[in-house]
Amino acid sequence: MAIHENLLGGPPPTHLPDDPEPRELLAGGTPAADVAAKYPTSSLAWARLADEAYEAGRVVESYAYARTGYHRGLDSLRRSGWKGHGPVPWEHEPNRGFLRALHGLARAAGAIGEQEEYERCSTFLRESSATAADTLG
């Protein structure tokens, strides 16, 4: 038996490749819109834009930003071997942009009354990473 064998029989965790530049720019105070423009595939930049819009009461804008980050993340997950389900661990920092965008999409969907999308995204987040669901609330 291999040391890293998944004893539950499910797919292995997906770990997105690290892309430190957007994360470092955001941490250094570069506006999220500038980071998203320079790195449009960065789910983290789009998730940050979604958070900023939501906090400012611009829920529909938040929804659009979160959906962009979510789809950019799905593209990256698929390129990393993800087959549409399985763990996307919060503990692996490069996964956090996608997970934050997914959370933001659920939050905004709930705020505009799109219950089915809220439930789908909330379930998807919890199934991808219970830690992310608990951390992001």
Side-chain angles (χ1 to χ4, degrees), residues 57-65 108 112:
R58 300 186 317 269
V59 178
V60 172
E61 188 178 323
S62 176
Y63 182 96
Y65 286 138
I112 64 171

Side-chain angles (χ1 to χ4, degrees), residues 15-63:
H15 295 100
L16 294 173
D18 196 12
D19 188 11
E21 293 85 5
R23 187 174 60 244
E24 291 166 359
L25 287 170
L26 291 166
T30 301
D34 293 346
V35 177
K38 186 172 182 177
Y39 297 97
T41 61
S42 172
S43 289
L44 181 60
W46 293 106
R48 180 76 63 87
L49 283 168
D51 290 345
E52 291 171 3
Y54 190 84
E55 290 165 9
R58 300 186 317 269
V59 178
V60 172
E61 188 178 323
S62 176
Y63 182 96

Side-chain angles (χ1 to χ4, degrees), residues 24-110:
E24 291 166 359
L25 287 170
L26 291 166
T30 301
D34 293 346
V35 177
K38 186 172 182 177
Y39 297 97
T41 61
S42 172
S43 289
L44 181 60
W46 293 106
R48 180 76 63 87
L49 283 168
D51 290 345
E52 291 171 3
Y54 190 84
E55 290 165 9
R58 300 186 317 269
V59 178
V60 172
E61 188 178 323
S62 176
Y63 182 96
Y65 286 138
R67 183 160 294 285
T68 300
Y70 164 77
H71 281 287
R72 292 299 189 146
L74 287 177
D75 292 343
S76 186
L77 284 167
R78 289 180 185 116
R79 281 192 304 273
S80 296
W82 184 76
K83 302 294 185 209
H85 66 285
V88 181
W90 173 260
E91 294 78 9
H92 181 67
E93 190 169 6
N95 290 350
R96 291 182 183 181
F98 167 72
L99 295 167
R100 287 185 57 193
L102 179 56
H103 164 74
L105 183 55
R107 177 185 61 202

